[in-house]
Amino acid sequence: MVTSNTQSDALIFRPLPAQTPPLSLTGPLGWLRENLFNGWFNSLLSIGCLVLLTIIIPPLLSWTIFDATWAGNADSCRESSGACWTFIGHKFQVFLVGTYPSSEVWRPALAGGLLVLLSLGTVCRVFSKFILISMWLVFPFIMYLLVNGGLGLPIVDQSRWGGLMLSVGLALVGILISVPMGVILALGRRSKIVTIKSLCIGIIEPIRGVPLITILFMASVMMPLFLPENMQINNMLRVQVGIILFSSAYMAEVVRGGLQAIPQGQIDAAKAVGLNYWQMNVFVILPQALRHVLPSLVGRCIALFKDTSLVIIVGLLDFLGMAKASTQDSNWLGFDAEAYIFCAAVYWVICFSMSQYGRSIEKRGPSEH
Amino acid sequence: MTSTHSSRDSNVVIEMTDVNKWYGTFHVLKDINLKVNRGERIVICGPSGSGKSTLIRCINSLEQHQKGSIIVGGTRLTSNLKGIEEVRREVGMVFQDFNLFPHMSVIENLTLAPIFVRELPQKEAEELALHFLKRVRIEEQAYKYPGQLSGGQQQRVAIARALCMNPNILLFDEPTSALDPEMIKEVLDVMIELAEENITMICVTHEMGFARTVANRIIFMDEGEIVEENEPEAFFNNPQYDRTRFFLSQIL
């Protein structure tokens, strides 16, 4: 501390200037020391990993890229020792849209393109919050119209829907409906009104207690037994409802966790300024609660997307189902690895994008969400 | 909840008669009788756990009493909370921990209730908010977030937020207890200015200097009861009960 006397008796306090940290703590060398070689055990681990990587990577690269077949037919694939990407190219349409009639493929393609544009628009935040939400709410209807037909477009029977289109469709509608439903169930579960509370618990707990496969079976096989004979609800819709119910129950518990993290003072303050129950929840409680649980919420959305692959159990061929079916083609036997790697890659790209987007929202300041 | 009472004495804004409240089996308020006149400034003090906060939280039904009657602005509070918002918009409240909404900017904190409860147009609500921010001398912070402000600034924002509802009654629940010593004065100064404007104030606080300056009446509570109440001079100089004397000797 530097002090000096002035004419008056008081001492003047002057804080010391801040200094930069010593060089050995910063820079790339500092980083290496800090992260890879701090202590003998970590150094050993780092070296071990390096050795492992040099063993694994070269054969992996030669199989996937250098020795791989990129053109030709099944026979040219069998002659080479690498991966057969020709197979993927050949089956590309089946992977994406299943057995959707070729003449109409532009429709799901257009829907997919719109979805990508909408997602990009969301990530780059070119629209206001209100427009964005309404576009996401309208989009499923446009998607349905395009894929299903109607308004002049010929109807395509739902038995011909499949592939990635089906996975994305089920997941998207599932997410868009189950998040708000989860919020309502979570609020209901915390309600002081006993009937509402027990109703919500009565929905959430049984659903959380059974596997998704059970619910899909119930929806697909057992529900028609209970319905009157002349009442037909198609399989796709029943499966979709099953997925929504299952996901809502989980979303509800995630949201409830967030609601519990809100201090009582926030509720008091919201009430004290005269907000009613819904205003309090919409403007004060939920924005904070959802923000707290955003990582788990995004996690649930990703899980939901991946869980749609279970619809193969009830006879729907989603992306993974189509990949599996394609490997059974007698002209293209023996390329299971390529099919599954392609599937994994596509799933990874979509899920990773969702999780990155989730992180980017988390990082935004309180001003921006 | 809103059975309107035509109060005989229109000057009485809060009337509590034989109010009792329990938390489970714990008897937290015992036979509270209190009349507050329009424009009166009341300070409630007492040891912790004496029921001071509970008492004022009953006035806007953040807590509910189980026996007796509370009439606020001619409306009797009952256990049915339907329509309680009508009462709450007349009664502003400032909390110990500020309780600003952390996800909203200062100006959004202030305009939320005026827009959605008083149904003012956004522009008007913002003008109102800026007006009150100016009064608490913090208008330059209008577009910051609560987390970026000091405790004293946050508490002044909280006061402005309460004022934006244009309340007849202001409740303060230990407004300076969570503040650093250097910031207590800036909040008290704002409260003293408010006191000069004839708004009805009920303030739970241990700031005896503040009580002496602004209060018309000081209420001392212990064990859920009002032990004694008096004008500041008489209260400080000539307390009637030994309990009050002991309390004052501890804090003065």
Side-chain angles (χ1 to χ4, degrees):
Chain A
M1 193 193 310
V2 185
T3 54
S4 70
N5 264 316
T6 55
Q7 282 107 339
S8 71
D9 292 343
L11 298 172
I12 293 178
F13 166 71
R14 290 209 183 81
L16 286 171
Q19 295 176 344
T20 50
L23 251 177
S24 61
L25 295 178
T26 53
L29 251 148
W31 185 88
L32 272 180
R33 190 184 295 172
E34 177 70 20
N35 292 290
L36 296 180
F37 298 100
N38 74 69
W40 64 270
F41 183 68
N42 284 342
S43 307
L44 216 66
L45 272 182
S46 300
I47 293 167
C49 288
L50 211 66
V51 172
L52 213 63
L53 285 177
T54 50
I55 297 174
I56 294 173
I57 288 183
L60 194 70
L61 280 180
S62 60
W63 186 80
T64 51
I65 299 172
F66 302 123
D67 295 344
T69 318
W70 299 89
N73 55 27
D75 292 329
S76 50
C77 271
R78 292 204 178 85
E79 286 158 15
S80 107
S81 63
C84 176
W85 300 125
T86 321
F87 169 66
I88 305 295
H90 190 80
K91 294 285 183 188
F92 197 64
Q93 186 182 327
V94 175
F95 281 167
L96 293 193
V97 296
T99 55
Y100 206 85
S102 286
S103 59
E104 304 292 330
V105 161
W106 64 270
R107 283 154 50 180
L110 178 61
L114 286 176
L115 178 60
V116 170
L117 278 181
L118 186 52
S119 309
L120 285 177
T122 308
V123 173
C124 306
R125 305 168 67 211
V126 288
F127 309 112
S128 77
K129 210 189 291 178
F130 178 75
I131 297 179
L132 200 62
I133 291 173
S134 21
M135 287 207 312
W136 275 107
L137 291 181
V138 170
F139 180 74
F141 295 100
I142 298 174
M143 184 177 74
Y144 180 79
L145 186 73
L146 275 169
V147 173
N148 183 64
L151 289 184
L153 291 170
I155 305 283
V156 174
D157 191 78
Q158 294 190 352
S159 61
R160 307 195 64 173
W161 299 10
L164 185 61
M165 171 187 96
L166 182 63
S167 302
V168 171
L170 287 173
L172 185 67
V173 175
I175 290 169
L176 287 177
I177 298 182
S178 71
V179 171
M181 243 175 96
V183 168
I184 289 175
L185 283 174
L187 287 176
R189 190 168 184 168
R190 281 166 58 93
S191 168
K192 287 202 179 75
I193 304 165
V194 181
T195 36
I196 294 180
K197 183 178 173 143
S198 25
L199 185 74
C200 289
I201 294 179
I203 294 172
I204 294 169
E205 289 304 332
I207 291 178
R208 263 163 45 95
V210 293
L212 177 56
I213 292 189
T214 319
I215 292 176
L216 293 179
F217 262 128
M218 289 277 287
S220 163
V221 182
M222 291 185 61
M223 215 166 82
L225 300 179
F226 301 132
L227 292 175
E229 221 159 274
N230 51 4
M231 197 175 154
Q232 291 273 330
I233 302 178
N234 66 57
N235 200 23
M236 196 78 69
L237 183 62
R238 278 180 278 143
V239 165
Q240 178 75 75
V241 169
I243 289 176
I244 288 172
L245 284 178
F246 181 77
S247 171
S248 302
Y250 278 90
M251 297 283 184
E253 289 302 281
V254 170
V255 174
R256 190 165 69 100
L259 291 175
Q260 276 169 346
I262 304 297
Q264 180 65 31
Q266 290 291 307
I267 298 168
D268 288 345
K271 285 179 178 171
V273 290
L275 298 181
N276 65 31
Y277 177 81
W278 288 108
Q279 291 168 335
M280 171 176 89
N281 277 300
V282 170
F283 298 119
V284 179
I285 310 298
L286 283 173
Q288 297 183 61
L290 293 180
R291 196 176 164 77
H292 283 308
V293 295
L294 200 73
S296 346
L297 220 51
V298 173
R300 286 306 319 164
C301 292
I302 291 172
L304 170 60
F305 175 58
K306 293 189 292 188
D307 281 352
T308 56
S309 56
L310 289 173
V311 298
I312 195 171
I313 294 286
V314 292
L316 298 178
L317 288 179
D318 74 318
F319 186 40
L320 190 68
M322 275 301 166
K324 195 171 154 62
S326 307
T327 61
Q328 311 297 313
D329 183 340
S330 55
N331 295 324
W332 293 88
L333 285 174
F335 300 117
D336 303 45
E338 285 84 346
Y340 290 130
I341 287 175
F342 176 65
C343 268
V346 172
Y347 270 115
W348 183 81
V349 166
I350 296 176
C351 295
F352 185 70
S353 319
M354 292 206 291
S355 96
Q356 285 305 105
Y357 178 61
R359 278 172 166 221
S360 77
I361 312 179
E362 274 169 55
K363 280 191 198 134
R364 281 180 208 162
S367 56
E368 301 173 76
H369 58 276
Chain B
M1 104 140 303
T2 48
S3 70
T4 319
H5 255 243
S6 55
S7 181
R8 257 166 256 144
D9 185 357
S10 67
N11 220 16
V12 176
V13 286
I14 300 170
E15 188 171 3
M16 299 175 111
T17 317
D18 294 326
V19 172
N20 280 275
K21 175 171 176 62
W22 290 264
Y23 285 130
T25 56
F26 178 63
H27 200 172
V28 54
L29 292 180
K30 300 172 186 163
D31 289 334
I32 300 288
N33 285 290
L34 177 66
K35 266 189 188 178
V36 181
N37 293 317
R38 190 178 303 282
E40 221 182 343
R41 298 180 297 278
I42 294 176
V43 163
I44 304 177
C45 60
S48 63
S50 59
K52 317 177 290 288
S53 293
T54 309
L55 175 70
I56 67 166
R57 286 166 65 88
C58 281
I59 295 172
N60 61 355
S61 276
L62 286 185
E63 304 283 351
Q64 285 170 25
H65 61 291
Q66 279 109 24
K67 245 179 88 186
S69 94
I70 303 178
I71 298 169
V72 178
T75 306
R76 181 191 290 272
L77 309 184
T78 65
S79 59
N80 180 2
L81 283 179
K82 212 165 237 161
I84 183 63
E85 293 86 13
E86 294 296 318
V87 175
R88 284 179 179 153
R89 55 188 288 181
E90 300 296 328
V91 183
M93 189 158 191
V94 176
F95 300 88
Q96 179 174 357
D97 297 312
F98 332 133
N99 294 343
L100 296 178
F101 307 132
H103 59 301
M104 296 179 179
S105 67
V106 165
I107 190 116
E108 286 168 334
N109 264 280
L110 265 63
T111 53
L112 177 69
I115 289 175
F116 291 101
V117 181
R118 286 177 68 187
E119 296 179 351
L120 295 182
Q122 180 164 354
K123 200 164 179 298
E124 206 174 309
E126 277 174 11
E127 281 164 11
L128 189 74
L130 288 172
H131 167 73
F132 283 115
L133 282 177
K134 203 171 217 164
R135 283 225 352 226
V136 300
R137 291 188 291 278
I138 203 168
E139 75 264 39
E140 72 280 2
Q141 315 281 9
Y143 298 95
K144 286 195 180 163
Y145 281 79
Q148 297 167 302
L149 305 183
S150 73
Q153 290 171 325
Q154 288 192 49
Q155 192 59 297
R156 284 185 281 150
V157 171
I159 293 172
R161 177 174 69 180
L163 290 174
C164 279
M165 285 304 286
N166 203 11
N168 292 322
I169 302 164
L170 264 183
L171 307 174
F172 292 87
D173 189 0
E174 307 203 24
T176 56
S177 301
L179 294 176
D180 290 340
E182 284 181 332
M183 291 162 184
I184 291 178
K185 187 170 178 296
E186 66 187 49
V187 171
L188 287 182
D189 286 347
V190 166
M191 289 169 64
I192 291 170
E193 279 176 31
L194 280 178
E196 287 159 4
E197 296 183 25
N198 262 349
I199 188 165
T200 312
M201 283 169 77
I202 301 179
C203 183
V204 173
T205 183
H206 295 130
E207 295 294 332
M208 288 302 132
F210 169 78
R212 212 187 269 271
T213 341
V214 306
N216 305 115
R217 191 157 35 130
I218 298 181
I219 292 173
F220 174 67
M221 285 183 75
D222 190 27
E223 302 283 336
E225 290 179 66
I226 293 180
V227 178
E228 95 172 73
E229 51 177 296
N230 218 329
E231 288 168 4
E233 281 311 305
F235 180 83
F236 287 112
N237 301 335
N238 189 19
Q240 302 295 304
Y241 283 82
D242 57 337
R243 184 67 189 87
T244 319
R245 281 180 203 168
F246 179 72
F247 177 76
L248 288 175
S249 72
Q250 293 297 306
I251 65 165
L252 284 180

